[in-house]
Amino acid sequence: MRLPILTLTAIATLFVAADASAQTYDPRYPVCMHVYTPGGFGGGGGDYFDCSFTSLPQCRATASGRSASCDLNPYYAFDQPPPRPRKRQKQQY
């Protein structure tokens, strides 16, 4: 009885412990550079994100002459205006 339960537990653990991908974007910076790498003869090309830029002009200057593009970081918490204060209502007794 123990062996089937342990086997099922081991199989369930293997399914739960699947490969997890790392977060691509760094939420501390507002601009990311998407760099494309060539594949060569055997393929294997890819791309990566470099999220270490504080402005689009800074990123574009770095990407100049490379196969790269600059985009706004979708995970950056841009400054949002504070919520408007609520009006207090007078309590009636």
Side-chain angles (χ1 to χ4, degrees):
M1 184 68 179
R2 283 187 191 165
L3 187 59
I5 292 174
L6 290 175
T7 304
L8 289 174
T9 304
I11 292 171
T13 303
L14 289 175
F15 282 119
V16 170
D19 291 339
S21 61
Q23 183 172 349
T24 305
Y25 301 97
D26 187 354
R28 295 177 293 171
Y29 295 97
V31 179
C32 295
M33 180 172 60
H34 188 181
V35 181
Y36 307 96
T37 57
F41 293 113
D47 55 345
Y48 65 92
F49 289 89
D50 179 8
C51 295
S52 60
F53 301 98
T54 56
S55 68
L56 278 172
Q58 177 191 24
C59 179
R60 288 180 182 145
T62 305
S64 177
R66 301 172 67 180
S67 58
S69 63
C70 296
D71 301 311
L72 293 178
N73 187 349
Y75 296 101
Y76 179 72
F78 287 98
D79 294 333
Q80 297 179 0
R84 294 175 49 175
R86 294 183 179 183
K87 294 181 180 179
R88 288 187 158 181
Q89 296 179 356
K90 293 182 181 179
Q91 293 182 356
Q92 296 179 357
Y93 293 101

